[in-house]
Amino acid sequence: MKVIALSRKEAQDILTNKIYLLVVFVQVFIILGAFGLAVVTSIATDPALLDSYGITSNLKVGVDSQINKSSMADYLQEQKFTIIYYNTTEEATKYLGKGLVAVVGSSPQGDITVLLDNSNVFYPVASQKINDAIGKYKQAKKLESAGLNQSTIDIIQKPVVLSETDINQDKKAQIALDSSYFVELMYGFIVPFILLLPFFMASNIVTDSIVGERERKTFEVLLMAPLTSSMVILGKTIPILSFSMLQSLAWILLLDFLKVPIFNPLILFLILLFVGLGFIGVGIIISMLVDSTKEANSAITLALVFATFILFVPLFINAPYFETIFNFIPTVLMVKISSTPIVENELLLYALPTILISAIIFFLSVRYFRHERAIRL
Amino acid sequence: MRFSIITKWELKETLKSKKFLTIFFLQISVLFLMIFIFNTFAANIESEKGISITPSLSGFASLDVDDQGYLFSKYINPDIIEVKNYSYNYSIERIKTGQTTGFVLVPEDSIDKIRNIGTINIQLYLDVSDPKRSVIKDEVTSTTKLMGDTISSSWVDSLAPQNVTQTINQQNTGESLPLQIITKAMIAILLFLPLFLFGNMMIDSVVGEKERKTGEILMAMPLSTTEIIMGKSMAVVGIIAIQVALWMTILLSTGFEIINPLIVYLLVFITAIPVIGITVVIAAYSKNYKEAGIGLTFGYVASVGILMIPALVYLSNKSISSNISPLTMVIRILSGENIPIWQFLIPIGFVAVMSAITYWISIKLYQRDDVVFGPRPGLIRLSLELIGLKKRRT
């Protein structure tokens, strides 16, 4: 009951602290911003999405009168570019980078010249599409010169046909953008980042709570109460952990609303619970080592920088030698669990080191927390 | 010049602090880490593979394949997709039970089709309940294209071995946007970064006096508010000047090219003055460290925006007005542009105006007992009082 009373007081402190509430509010903007950025970059780099949103048709390619008469213009149109006709290549070149993403012209010797504006935001897609058009044009020219008929040329130009059959249609996952880039970016980085944000804040709250009490000289009163060290730690941990878990739950619901479905939330919560305990444990240990809020903030920032490095860098490193170790990193696990509808039991075994390490950190923080240390006696 | 007494005192105290020195050298280690990351990015951009910011997760999605002739499987990129060879019936069952996201069936007669110039029909079975379906679909589509291109080329070579005389020349103009950002903007951003690393020192210097209740003693000294504010600010600006010089030296010695380093240094240095000015305004108004920390976060986000947005605008459309940001000017210098002298006046003028405004506000705030010792007026009332639209309560 004593622990509950302390927890209630801590929870009240958190919920009445305008700064914590402001940070929660800021997280909403971070989530919406990250989601928006992922959507925009996915559309900008995916030729199929650019086509479907009609952006390709806004990309203008200048061609001269010779190209206009050749099949090259048809192949460019097939790529959904808007073709602007000019009398000469020189005339078209004047507008390269000023409205035109590329110029396709011909030299007096009959060769084709392609000029591309590298600085255009859509350059990668434009370049890919123009290369496809050139490839087809060159191939067709070669086959025509060999005297082949159009039906054979068509087969040669498209020797493989891909058909798709959808399975589990009744359980179709509604995703904001059916793009490979979007899915990799959202599940591969943004989802674990968003779900861990509240726990970064948790380690800050716990140092604020312990060091703050010491600075306000209210810690002595708390420690004189008939509570053991473990009870004080529990009383402070429960509301902070619950506050963070509730935030993570809210972010899962927000992501679901944004059509980024998060699978296996219960397993995710189990991992988050232990990661959270680890973060809080680090916060408590730091609180025991420092003298003021200012020192605590510097130390916690440093600890969080290292945590970010350990948790997020493996997501961007392709190192086959470390693959087995990376599989144990909680963020890597979160990526796999949150994006897979049915998780294999084997994957859960990879969570054991996270659970063990976090439990050890928390246990150490409880052992290290002593009344005498807390009030510097 | 009596503010120099405070500056000297603050500098002496700061440089004596072991904690400060630890943080100072930790920042330098952060620079080395960034140099490593930038070099990796630049190397990736210049390589044929280009840059990718997507996470590189091995085995992110799984795909089953029935491909007896190994025609399709050999083209799959194994970085993200985990490929397993299984039969049709087993794979369909695996998809239905969520053990794999897709299955590709390559017809057994594919090799005969290649020999006889016939179309190969590849079938993709996709679990649409899995959001990773688009990753599989994208990989299968690009693999199919690669396979098709290879088959086409072999057919073309056998059917039309003669060379077509027409050649295609491709030229690229302009530097790619990611390369521009990495090679020019990123070095400039690195040089401006130390400006935002010492805000806590300023907060400590001003808010710390309020919390430690030593502000009253300082106010009672024979120094004007202007001298106190300028003295404290110049100490931090001095520390920033040392850090920027160190960072520039490190960047130059690690092979980064900085054209006109002295002008670049001066531009970064003068920008530190209004940045610290903003910090003093926040510190002068804040009651405690926590409040100052939050205010500083928002203040610095806005400052970074003011520096960055014109620079990004400049990269895309080279407008003159984007020179308002000293960061734009540094990017232009680093790009080796010939900049007319009068254009330097735009960022210098902006920095001077911003400095005058921020220091004026902070001095006015520090002169008010209600702001320093409380009870503090609200932000709106205070703003109206500062610009003279409302009379101060007595």
Side-chain angles (χ1 to χ4, degrees):
Chain A
M1 281 306 283
K2 289 171 190 166
V3 176
I4 294 170
L6 180 60
S7 297
R8 201 176 292 156
K9 173 243 164 203
E10 288 291 331
Q12 209 172 9
D13 281 354
I14 294 169
L15 296 172
T16 50
N17 190 314
K18 282 181 191 163
I19 292 167
Y20 297 153
L21 299 179
L22 183 73
V23 176
V24 173
F25 189 62
V26 167
Q27 285 180 65
V28 177
F29 284 93
I30 293 175
I31 297 168
L32 294 177
F35 173 80
L37 202 64
V39 168
V40 171
T41 47
S42 304
I43 294 172
T45 50
D46 189 326
L49 284 175
L50 281 177
D51 288 352
S52 63
Y53 284 93
I55 295 167
T56 317
S57 54
N58 286 318
L59 294 178
K60 298 183 181 85
V61 175
V63 298
D64 68 12
S65 53
Q66 287 299 313
I67 294 294
N68 186 18
K69 288 176 205 159
S70 74
S71 54
M72 183 68 190
D74 298 330
Y75 286 118
L76 286 170
Q77 245 155 5
E78 224 174 64
Q79 297 292 337
K80 298 190 175 164
F81 284 120
T82 297
I83 310 291
I84 312 276
Y85 301 102
Y86 295 91
N87 290 327
T88 61
T89 311
E90 290 71 31
E91 198 186 322
T93 310
K94 284 181 199 162
Y95 299 96
L96 185 65
K98 295 167 190 160
L100 295 182
V101 66
V103 169
V104 182
S106 55
S107 70
Q109 294 78 29
D111 297 336
I112 288 183
T113 309
V114 179
L115 297 160
L116 274 156
D117 175 22
N118 249 352
S119 57
N120 192 291
V121 179
F122 298 109
Y123 165 78
V125 173
S127 168
Q128 189 187 328
K129 281 173 168 281
I130 287 174
N131 279 330
D132 281 352
I134 291 171
K136 283 192 175 174
Y137 173 76
K138 272 174 83 173
Q139 212 172 52
K141 276 275 168 199
K142 206 172 180 183
L143 293 170
E144 273 170 27
S145 67
L148 293 172
N149 60 32
Q150 192 55 48
S151 62
T152 314
I153 292 176
D154 288 345
I155 292 174
I156 291 171
Q157 288 200 323
K158 202 169 183 189
V160 186
V161 174
L162 180 69
S163 320
E164 186 188 317
T165 306
D166 292 345
I167 296 176
N168 293 333
Q169 287 213 45
D170 51 325
K171 292 182 268 179
K172 187 173 182 176
Q174 298 300 323
I175 188 103
L177 214 57
D178 224 345
S179 139
S180 166
Y181 187 88
F182 178 76
V183 168
E184 283 173 41
L185 203 57
M186 283 306 294
Y187 288 99
F189 171 60
I190 294 173
V191 166
F193 173 71
I194 288 170
L195 296 186
L196 282 172
L197 269 180
F199 297 92
F200 278 69
M201 188 178 155
S203 50
N204 250 315
I205 299 177
V206 79
T207 47
D208 258 12
S209 173
I210 297 174
V211 184
E213 293 235 34
R214 195 191 292 143
E215 280 185 339
R216 289 190 301 270
K217 309 284 177 203
T218 54
F219 215 28
E220 288 88 336
V221 182
L222 175 68
L223 296 175
M224 272 192 290
L227 287 163
T228 62
S229 299
S230 315
M231 284 161 93
V232 173
I233 290 282
L234 268 181
K236 286 194 176 286
T237 303
I238 292 168
I240 297 171
L241 199 59
S242 312
F243 184 57
S244 303
M245 298 290 277
L246 275 173
Q247 281 179 78
S248 284
L249 175 67
W251 304 156
I252 287 179
L253 294 174
L254 180 60
L255 284 167
D256 262 328
F257 176 75
L258 294 170
K259 288 192 178 168
V260 181
I262 305 297
F263 297 94
N264 308 299
L266 285 177
I267 304 172
L268 277 175
F269 275 130
L270 180 77
I271 294 174
L272 286 172
L273 176 83
F274 280 95
V275 172
L277 273 181
F279 271 102
I280 292 172
V282 169
I284 295 168
I285 292 171
I286 286 174
S287 307
M288 292 298 99
L289 296 170
V290 298
D291 293 324
S292 62
T293 311
K294 192 183 69 180
E295 269 183 41
N297 284 342
S298 305
I300 207 81
T301 307
L302 205 64
L304 292 181
V305 167
F306 280 107
T308 309
F309 190 81
I310 293 166
L311 291 172
F312 293 102
V313 169
L315 295 178
F316 291 89
I317 289 179
N318 200 352
Y321 296 117
F322 297 108
E323 203 179 296
T324 319
I325 298 169
F326 286 174
N327 282 334
F328 293 108
I329 303 281
T331 43
V332 175
L333 274 169
M334 286 167 73
V335 168
K336 291 181 179 169
I337 292 167
S338 63
S339 64
T340 313
I342 300 165
V343 172
E344 288 174 30
N345 291 337
E346 187 198 329
L347 197 63
L348 301 179
L349 290 175
Y350 286 108
L352 286 177
T354 301
I355 293 172
L356 205 65
I357 292 169
S358 302
I360 289 171
I361 292 174
F362 189 71
F363 176 73
L364 282 176
S365 74
V366 176
R367 294 272 302 163
Y368 197 62
F369 183 88
R370 286 282 175 270
H371 287 186
E372 295 78 12
R373 274 203 191 102
I375 53 172
R376 293 281 184 271
L377 284 177
Chain B
M1 291 299 284
R2 276 190 303 175
F3 75 82
S4 62
I5 301 167
I6 295 220
T7 304
K8 265 187 228 164
W9 188 82
E10 291 275 346
L11 270 174
K12 206 172 124 189
E13 286 299 305
T14 307
L15 295 172
K16 256 185 1 194
S17 158
K18 279 183 190 160
K19 279 174 196 161
F20 164 76
L21 291 174
T22 314
I23 291 168
F24 192 81
F25 289 109
L26 263 173
Q27 287 173 359
I28 293 175
S29 63
V30 169
L31 173 69
F32 279 111
L33 189 70
M34 284 182 169
I35 289 173
F36 169 73
I37 292 169
F38 286 172
N39 280 335
T40 315
F41 267 128
N44 275 340
I45 285 179
E46 283 160 4
S47 73
E48 280 184 4
K49 282 164 78 181
I51 191 164
S52 166
I53 58 155
T54 49
S56 51
L57 295 163
S58 57
F60 180 56
S62 67
L63 174 72
D64 288 1
V65 176
D66 185 351
D67 178 19
Q68 307 290 331
Y70 199 56
L71 293 168
F72 180 87
S73 314
K74 63 182 171 190
Y75 297 110
I76 296 178
N77 176 7
D79 283 352
I80 293 177
I81 312 281
E82 188 187 12
V83 183
K84 284 178 180 161
N85 287 298
Y86 288 126
S87 66
Y88 171 84
N89 287 335
Y90 186 58
S91 294
I92 295 296
E93 194 50 39
R94 273 168 52 84
I95 292 181
K96 283 180 180 166
T97 52
Q99 293 174 66
T100 188
T101 312
F103 168 61
V104 167
L105 179 65
V106 182
E108 284 179 19
D109 60 351
S110 296
I111 295 175
D112 292 335
K113 289 260 174 77
I114 294 173
R115 283 192 194 120
N116 303 322
I117 311 186
T119 305
I120 301 166
N121 289 300
I122 289 181
Q123 189 68 42
L124 166 66
Y125 296 88
L126 209 54
D127 177 9
V128 289
S129 69
D130 191 327
K132 297 190 294 289
R133 62 185 183 239
S134 53
V135 178
I136 294 290
K137 192 177 172 180
D138 189 56
E139 189 55 40
V140 170
T141 308
S142 57
T143 306
T144 306
K145 190 177 176 300
L146 198 61
M147 179 184 163
D149 288 348
T150 314
I151 295 169
S152 286
S153 303
S154 68
W155 283 345
V156 172
D157 289 343
S158 62
L159 292 170
Q162 75 284 10
N163 284 327
V164 175
T165 50
Q166 193 174 36
T167 56
I168 292 169
N169 305 311
Q170 190 170 321
Q171 290 170 27
N172 289 14
T173 57
E175 201 171 15
S176 75
L177 203 59
L179 197 61
Q180 279 189 62
I181 291 172
I182 292 289
T183 58
K184 293 168 190 165
M186 284 303 181
I187 298 173
I189 290 166
L190 265 187
L191 292 172
F192 278 84
L193 195 60
L195 273 54
F196 299 95
L197 297 178
F198 295 95
N200 274 335
M201 250 181 81
M202 195 70 238
I203 297 291
D204 189 35
S205 178
V206 177
V207 183
E209 302 262 15
K210 287 187 199 177
E211 289 214 336
R212 290 189 298 268
K213 309 285 177 204
T214 52
E216 288 90 334
I217 303 164
L218 191 68
M219 303 282 266
M221 284 171 76
L223 288 163
S224 68
T225 314
T226 311
E227 284 168 336
I228 294 170
I229 292 289
M230 294 313 285
K232 284 177 179 289
S233 307
M234 287 312 119
V236 184
V237 171
I239 297 284
I240 292 176
I242 298 169
Q243 186 71 306
V244 173
L246 260 174
W247 283 43
M248 271 184 86
T249 314
I250 292 168
L251 284 170
L252 284 166
S253 55
T254 47
F256 285 87
E257 192 190 3
I258 299 175
I259 302 165
N260 286 322
L262 194 65
I263 298 174
V264 170
Y265 180 75
L266 286 174
L267 275 168
V268 178
F269 172 71
I270 59 160
T271 314
I273 300 168
V275 170
I276 293 303
I278 292 167
T279 317
V280 193
V281 172
I282 293 162
Y285 184 75
S286 303
K287 258 194 303 201
N288 51 41
Y289 283 120
K290 206 190 283 179
E291 210 180 271
I294 298 285
L296 198 64
T297 307
F298 285 102
Y300 278 7
V301 166
S303 309
V304 169
I306 293 168
L307 284 172
M308 285 287 292
I309 292 166
L312 291 173
V313 168
Y314 175 78
L315 285 176
S316 57
N317 73 3
K318 320 275 181 228
S319 110
I320 284 284
S321 59
S322 56
N323 287 309
I324 196 163
S325 160
L327 181 65
T328 310
M329 200 48 88
V330 171
I331 291 173
R332 291 182 67 188
I333 296 170
L334 295 179
S335 310
E337 277 188 43
N338 269 327
I339 308 165
I341 299 284
W342 67 266
Q343 286 189 8
F344 280 95
L345 296 175
I346 304 171
I348 293 171
F350 178 69
V351 163
V353 171
M354 284 305 290
S355 304
I357 295 172
T358 51
Y359 285 98
W360 178 80
I361 296 173
S362 51
I363 290 163
K364 286 281 169 197
L365 288 177
Y366 215 71
Q367 278 170 346
R368 294 177 59 135
D369 291 348
D370 52 351
V371 173
V372 180
F373 306 114
R376 195 178 54 173
L379 261 179
I380 298 169
R381 181 169 185 95
L382 195 62
S383 310
L384 292 173
E385 283 178 10
L386 278 176
I387 53 176
L389 289 176
K390 225 169 200 175
K391 274 196 174 173
R392 190 178 159 184
R393 281 189 192 135
T394 50

